[in-house]
């Protein structure tokens, strides 16, 4: 049965789409448990990844599920009041674009919320994953092509932090410790963990978090590198992994999580 705004009471469902530099994936989320209902659906990110092309790809994902209610969409960059401010891994035409308006138009007027992808993942981990029941300051870092970040204090998101662009020893953090750097330089986990430690120490000296959550694809092999880290703050692996963005986007469609 298609999911609509008239979904029966007691079925607390949402819909999220996670837009990345290489793929656009989405699915229906059980907001009571943080689990996907059925399989996710993924399409390649169009090239060039212009706002119109990405919006149409998002619409294809949504139509695959016959979803007609509100939905959340992540974006790999800074989003302020729906307006995109940066475009590191997608077409520069996104800068200054109103994400919700563009995507909503491709969907025939459906209600759309757009937020930073790492923020979405952080919210999902805080509510359903490695950060649940954790008070204080939680920092999620996604290690991938770059480094994304989310900061949450007692369950409240501080949106659009960009810790991947902090200068660490004369170099941007993500140019030092993204998982793509490990792959490109063919580093061992031991060597790469030295660079990750430098980034974590820089962050923890600035804001003194209570917990780091390590996300991104490389978190699946957390046992090979998290024990090697030498910073003082506890570090745990993300639990929702590649579904965190979808779940966080679905959460954002239900309530404004960026304020």
């Amino acid at each position: 049965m298609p999911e609509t705004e008239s979904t029966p009471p007691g079925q607390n469902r949402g819909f999220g789409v996670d837009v990345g530099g290489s793929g656009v994936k989405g699915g229906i989320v059980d907001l009571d448990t943080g689990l996907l209902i059925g399989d996710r659906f993924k399409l390649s990110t169009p090239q060039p990844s212009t706002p119109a092309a990405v919006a149409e790809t998002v619409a294809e994902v949504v139509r695959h599920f016959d979803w007609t209610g509100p939905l959340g969409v992540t974006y790999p960059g800074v989003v302020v009041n729906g307006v995109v401010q940066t475009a590191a891994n997608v077409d520069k035409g996104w800068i200054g674009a109103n994400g919700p308006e563009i995507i909503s138009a491709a969907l025939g007027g459906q209600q759309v919320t757009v937020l930073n992808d790492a923020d979405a993942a952080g919210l999902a981990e805080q509510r359903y994953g490695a950060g649940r029941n954790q008070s204080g300051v939680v920092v999620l870092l996604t290690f991938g092509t770059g480094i994304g970040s989310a900061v949450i204090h007692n369950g409240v998101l501080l949106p659009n932090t960009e810790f991947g662009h902090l200068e660490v020893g004369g170099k941007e953090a993500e140019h030092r410790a993204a998982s793509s750097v490990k792959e490109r330089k063919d580093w061992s986990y031991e060597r790469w963990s030295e660079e990750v430690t430098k980034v974590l120490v820089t962050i923890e000296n600035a804001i003194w978090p209570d917990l780091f959550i390590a996300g991104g694809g490389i978190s699946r092999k957390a046992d090979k590198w998290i024990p090697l880290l030498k910073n003082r703050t506890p570090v745990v692996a993300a639990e929702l992994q590649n579904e965190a963005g979808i779940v966080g986007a679905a959460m954002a469609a239900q309530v404004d999580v960026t304020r």
Side-chain angles (χ1 to χ4, degrees), residues 182-212:
K182 177 186 182 300
E183 294 170 9
R184 185 173 67 252
K185 297 191 175 184
D186 195 27
W187 280 344
S188 65
Y189 283 105
E190 288 79 6
R191 175 67 185 88
W192 180 62
S193 71
E194 294 175 7
E195 301 303 320
V196 176
T197 294
K198 293 174 185 176
V199 171
L200 297 182
V201 168
T202 298
I203 295 171
E204 65 189 5
N205 282 348
I207 66 171
W208 284 76
D210 297 283
L211 179 71
F212 281 115

CSV table of all heavy atoms in Angstrom, one decimal, residues 182-212:
chain,number,residue,atom,x,y,z
A,182,LYS,N,43.7,7.4,3.2
A,182,LYS,CA,44.3,6.1,3.5
A,182,LYS,C,44.4,5.2,2.3
A,182,LYS,O,45.4,4.6,2.0
A,182,LYS,CB,43.5,5.4,4.6
A,182,LYS,CG,43.9,4.0,4.9
A,182,LYS,CD,43.0,3.3,5.9
A,182,LYS,CE,43.5,1.9,6.3
A,182,LYS,NZ,43.7,1.0,5.1
A,183,GLU,N,43.3,5.2,1.5
A,183,GLU,CA,43.3,4.4,0.3
A,183,GLU,C,44.3,4.9,-0.7
A,183,GLU,O,45.1,4.1,-1.3
A,183,GLU,CB,41.9,4.4,-0.3
A,183,GLU,CG,40.9,3.8,0.6
A,183,GLU,CD,39.5,4.0,0.1
A,183,GLU,OE1,39.3,4.5,-1.1
A,183,GLU,OE2,38.5,3.6,0.8
A,184,ARG,N,44.3,6.2,-0.9
A,184,ARG,CA,45.2,6.8,-2.0
A,184,ARG,C,46.7,6.6,-1.6
A,184,ARG,O,47.5,6.3,-2.5
A,184,ARG,CB,44.9,8.3,-2.1
A,184,ARG,CG,45.7,9.0,-3.2
A,184,ARG,CD,45.3,10.4,-3.4
A,184,ARG,NE,45.6,11.3,-2.3
A,184,ARG,CZ,44.7,11.8,-1.5
A,184,ARG,NH1,43.5,11.5,-1.6
A,184,ARG,NH2,45.1,12.6,-0.5
A,185,LYS,N,47.0,6.7,-0.3
A,185,LYS,CA,48.4,6.5,0.1
A,185,LYS,C,48.8,5.1,0.5
A,185,LYS,O,49.9,4.8,0.8
A,185,LYS,CB,48.7,7.5,1.2
A,185,LYS,CG,48.6,8.9,0.8
A,185,LYS,CD,49.1,9.9,1.8
A,185,LYS,CE,49.1,11.3,1.3
A,185,LYS,NZ,49.7,12.3,2.3
A,186,ASP,N,47.8,4.2,0.4
A,186,ASP,CA,47.9,2.8,0.8
A,186,ASP,C,48.5,2.7,2.2
A,186,ASP,O,49.5,1.9,2.4
A,186,ASP,CB,48.8,2.1,-0.3
A,186,ASP,CG,48.8,0.6,-0.2
A,186,ASP,OD1,47.7,0.1,0.3
A,186,ASP,OD2,49.8,-0.1,-0.5
A,187,TRP,N,48.0,3.4,3.1
A,187,TRP,CA,48.5,3.4,4.5
A,187,TRP,C,47.9,2.2,5.2
A,187,TRP,O,46.8,1.7,4.9
A,187,TRP,CB,48.1,4.6,5.2
A,187,TRP,CG,48.9,5.8,5.0
A,187,TRP,CD1,50.1,5.9,4.4
A,187,TRP,CD2,48.6,7.2,5.3
A,187,TRP,NE1,50.6,7.2,4.4
A,187,TRP,CE2,49.7,8.0,4.9
A,187,TRP,CE3,47.4,7.8,5.9
A,187,TRP,CZ2,49.7,9.4,5.1
A,187,TRP,CZ3,47.4,9.2,6.1
A,187,TRP,CH2,48.5,9.9,5.7
A,188,SER,N,48.7,1.7,6.2
A,188,SER,CA,48.1,0.7,7.1
A,188,SER,C,47.2,1.4,8.1
A,188,SER,O,47.1,2.6,8.2
A,188,SER,CB,49.3,0.1,7.9
A,188,SER,OG,49.9,1.1,8.7
A,189,TYR,N,46.4,0.6,8.8
A,189,TYR,CA,45.5,1.2,9.8
A,189,TYR,C,46.3,1.9,10.9
A,189,TYR,O,45.9,2.9,11.4
A,189,TYR,CB,44.6,0.1,10.4
A,189,TYR,CG,43.4,-0.3,9.5
A,189,TYR,CD1,43.5,-1.5,8.9
A,189,TYR,CD2,42.3,0.5,9.4
A,189,TYR,CE1,42.4,-1.9,8.1
A,189,TYR,CE2,41.3,0.1,8.5
A,189,TYR,CZ,41.3,-1.1,7.9
A,189,TYR,OH,40.3,-1.5,7.1
A,190,GLU,N,47.5,1.3,11.2
A,190,GLU,CA,48.3,1.9,12.2
A,190,GLU,C,48.8,3.3,11.8
A,190,GLU,O,48.7,4.3,12.5
A,190,GLU,CB,49.6,1.1,12.5
A,190,GLU,CG,49.3,-0.2,13.2
A,190,GLU,CD,48.7,-1.3,12.4
A,190,GLU,OE1,48.6,-1.1,11.1
A,190,GLU,OE2,48.3,-2.3,12.9
A,191,ARG,N,49.2,3.4,10.5
A,191,ARG,CA,49.7,4.7,10.0
A,191,ARG,C,48.5,5.7,9.9
A,191,ARG,O,48.6,6.9,10.3
A,191,ARG,CB,50.3,4.6,8.6
A,191,ARG,CG,50.7,5.9,8.0
A,191,ARG,CD,51.9,6.6,8.7
A,191,ARG,NE,52.2,7.9,8.2
A,191,ARG,CZ,51.6,9.0,8.5
A,191,ARG,NH1,50.7,9.0,9.5
A,191,ARG,NH2,51.9,10.1,8.0
A,192,TRP,N,47.4,5.3,9.4
A,192,TRP,CA,46.2,6.2,9.2
A,192,TRP,C,45.7,6.6,10.6
A,192,TRP,O,45.3,7.8,10.8
A,192,TRP,CB,45.1,5.5,8.5
A,192,TRP,CG,43.9,6.3,8.2
A,192,TRP,CD1,43.8,7.5,7.5
A,192,TRP,CD2,42.6,6.0,8.7
A,192,TRP,NE1,42.5,7.9,7.5
A,192,TRP,CE2,41.7,7.0,8.2
A,192,TRP,CE3,42.0,5.0,9.5
A,192,TRP,CZ2,40.4,7.1,8.5
A,192,TRP,CZ3,40.7,5.0,9.7
A,192,TRP,CH2,39.9,6.0,9.3
A,193,SER,N,45.7,5.7,11.6
A,193,SER,CA,45.2,6.1,12.9
A,193,SER,C,46.0,7.2,13.6
A,193,SER,O,45.4,8.0,14.4
A,193,SER,CB,45.1,4.9,13.8
A,193,SER,OG,46.4,4.5,14.2
A,194,GLU,N,47.2,7.4,13.2
A,194,GLU,CA,48.0,8.5,13.7
A,194,GLU,C,47.4,9.8,13.2
A,194,GLU,O,47.4,10.8,14.0
A,194,GLU,CB,49.5,8.4,13.2
A,194,GLU,CG,50.2,7.2,13.8
A,194,GLU,CD,51.6,7.0,13.2
A,194,GLU,OE1,52.0,8.0,12.4
A,194,GLU,OE2,52.3,6.0,13.4
A,195,GLU,N,47.0,9.9,12.0
A,195,GLU,CA,46.4,11.1,11.4
A,195,GLU,C,45.0,11.3,12.0
A,195,GLU,O,44.7,12.5,12.3
A,195,GLU,CB,46.4,11.0,9.9
A,195,GLU,CG,47.7,10.8,9.3
A,195,GLU,CD,48.7,11.9,9.6
A,195,GLU,OE1,48.3,13.1,9.7
A,195,GLU,OE2,49.9,11.6,9.8
A,196,VAL,N,44.3,10.3,12.2
A,196,VAL,CA,42.9,10.4,12.8
A,196,VAL,C,43.1,10.9,14.2
A,196,VAL,O,42.3,11.8,14.7
A,196,VAL,CB,42.2,9.1,12.8
A,196,VAL,CG1,40.8,9.2,13.5
A,196,VAL,CG2,41.9,8.6,11.4
A,197,THR,N,44.0,10.4,15.0
A,197,THR,CA,44.3,10.9,16.3
A,197,THR,C,44.6,12.4,16.4
A,197,THR,O,44.0,13.1,17.2
A,197,THR,CB,45.5,10.1,17.0
A,197,THR,OG1,45.1,8.8,17.1
A,197,THR,CG2,45.8,10.7,18.3
A,198,LYS,N,45.4,12.9,15.4
A,198,LYS,CA,45.7,14.3,15.4
A,198,LYS,C,44.4,15.2,15.2
A,198,LYS,O,44.2,16.2,15.8
A,198,LYS,CB,46.7,14.6,14.2
A,198,LYS,CG,48.0,14.0,14.4
A,198,LYS,CD,48.9,14.3,13.2
A,198,LYS,CE,50.3,13.6,13.4
A,198,LYS,NZ,51.1,13.7,12.1
A,199,VAL,N,43.5,14.7,14.3
A,199,VAL,CA,42.3,15.4,14.1
A,199,VAL,C,41.4,15.4,15.3
A,199,VAL,O,40.8,16.4,15.7
A,199,VAL,CB,41.5,14.8,12.9
A,199,VAL,CG1,40.1,15.4,12.8
A,199,VAL,CG2,42.3,15.0,11.6
A,200,LEU,N,41.3,14.2,16.0
A,200,LEU,CA,40.4,14.1,17.2
A,200,LEU,C,41.0,15.0,18.3
A,200,LEU,O,40.2,15.6,19.0
A,200,LEU,CB,40.4,12.7,17.6
A,200,LEU,CG,39.7,11.7,16.7
A,200,LEU,CD1,39.7,10.3,17.3
A,200,LEU,CD2,38.3,12.1,16.2
A,201,VAL,N,42.3,15.0,18.5
A,201,VAL,CA,42.8,15.9,19.5
A,201,VAL,C,42.6,17.3,19.3
A,201,VAL,O,42.3,18.1,20.2
A,201,VAL,CB,44.4,15.6,19.6
A,201,VAL,CG1,45.0,16.6,20.5
A,201,VAL,CG2,44.6,14.2,20.2
A,202,THR,N,42.7,17.8,18.0
A,202,THR,CA,42.4,19.2,17.7
A,202,THR,C,40.9,19.5,18.0
A,202,THR,O,40.6,20.6,18.6
A,202,THR,CB,42.6,19.4,16.2
A,202,THR,OG1,44.0,19.2,15.9
A,202,THR,CG2,42.2,20.8,15.8
A,203,ILE,N,40.0,18.6,17.7
A,203,ILE,CA,38.6,18.9,18.0
A,203,ILE,C,38.3,18.9,19.5
A,203,ILE,O,37.7,19.7,20.1
A,203,ILE,CB,37.7,17.8,17.3
A,203,ILE,CG1,37.8,18.0,15.8
A,203,ILE,CG2,36.2,18.0,17.8
A,203,ILE,CD1,37.1,16.9,15.0
A,204,GLU,N,38.9,17.9,20.2
A,204,GLU,CA,38.6,17.7,21.6
A,204,GLU,C,39.3,18.8,22.4
A,204,GLU,O,38.8,19.2,23.5
A,204,GLU,CB,39.0,16.4,22.2
A,204,GLU,CG,40.4,16.0,22.1
A,204,GLU,CD,40.7,14.5,22.5
A,204,GLU,OE1,39.7,13.8,22.6
A,204,GLU,OE2,41.8,14.1,22.6
A,205,ASN,N,40.4,19.4,22.0
A,205,ASN,CA,41.0,20.5,22.7
A,205,ASN,C,40.1,21.8,22.5
A,205,ASN,O,40.3,22.7,23.3
A,205,ASN,CB,42.4,20.8,22.1
A,205,ASN,CG,43.4,19.8,22.7
A,205,ASN,OD1,43.1,19.0,23.6
A,205,ASN,ND2,44.6,19.7,22.1
A,206,ALA,N,39.3,21.8,21.5
A,206,ALA,CA,38.5,23.0,21.2
A,206,ALA,C,37.1,23.0,22.0
A,206,ALA,O,36.7,24.0,22.5
A,206,ALA,CB,38.3,23.2,19.7
A,207,ILE,N,36.5,21.8,22.0
A,207,ILE,CA,35.1,21.7,22.6
A,207,ILE,C,34.9,20.7,23.6
A,207,ILE,O,33.9,20.5,24.2
A,207,ILE,CB,34.1,21.5,21.5
A,207,ILE,CG1,34.2,20.1,20.8
A,207,ILE,CG2,34.2,22.6,20.4
A,207,ILE,CD1,33.1,19.8,19.9
A,208,TRP,N,35.9,19.8,23.9
A,208,TRP,CA,35.9,18.9,25.0
A,208,TRP,C,34.6,18.0,24.9
A,208,TRP,O,33.7,18.1,25.8
A,208,TRP,CB,36.0,19.5,26.4
A,208,TRP,CG,37.4,19.9,26.7
A,208,TRP,CD1,38.1,21.0,26.1
A,208,TRP,CD2,38.3,19.2,27.5
A,208,TRP,NE1,39.4,21.0,26.6
A,208,TRP,CE2,39.6,20.0,27.4
A,208,TRP,CE3,38.3,18.1,28.3
A,208,TRP,CZ2,40.7,19.6,28.1
A,208,TRP,CZ3,39.4,17.7,29.0
A,208,TRP,CH2,40.6,18.4,28.9
A,209,PRO,N,34.4,17.2,23.9
A,209,PRO,CA,33.2,16.4,23.8
A,209,PRO,C,33.3,15.2,24.8
A,209,PRO,O,34.3,14.9,25.3
A,209,PRO,CB,33.3,15.8,22.3
A,209,PRO,CG,34.8,15.8,22.0
A,209,PRO,CD,35.3,17.0,22.7
A,210,ASP,N,32.1,14.6,25.0
A,210,ASP,CA,32.0,13.5,25.9
A,210,ASP,C,32.2,12.1,25.1
A,210,ASP,O,32.5,11.1,25.7
A,210,ASP,CB,30.7,13.5,26.6
A,210,ASP,CG,30.6,14.7,27.5
A,210,ASP,OD1,31.2,14.6,28.6
A,210,ASP,OD2,29.9,15.6,27.2
A,211,LEU,N,31.9,12.2,23.8
A,211,LEU,CA,31.9,11.0,23.0
A,211,LEU,C,32.1,11.3,21.5
A,211,LEU,O,31.5,12.3,21.0
A,211,LEU,CB,30.6,10.2,23.2
A,211,LEU,CG,30.5,8.9,22.4
A,211,LEU,CD1,31.4,7.8,23.0
A,211,LEU,CD2,29.1,8.4,22.3
A,212,PHE,N,33.0,10.6,20.9
A,212,PHE,CA,33.1,10.6,19.4
A,212,PHE,C,32.4,9.4,18.9
A,212,PHE,O,32.6,8.3,19.4
A,212,PHE,CB,34.6,10.6,19.0
A,212,PHE,CG,35.3,11.9,19.0
A,212,PHE,CD1,36.4,12.0,19.9
A,212,PHE,CD2,34.9,12.9,18.2
A,212,PHE,CE1,37.1,13.2,20.0
A,212,PHE,CE2,35.6,14.2,18.3
A,212,PHE,CZ,36.7,14.3,19.1
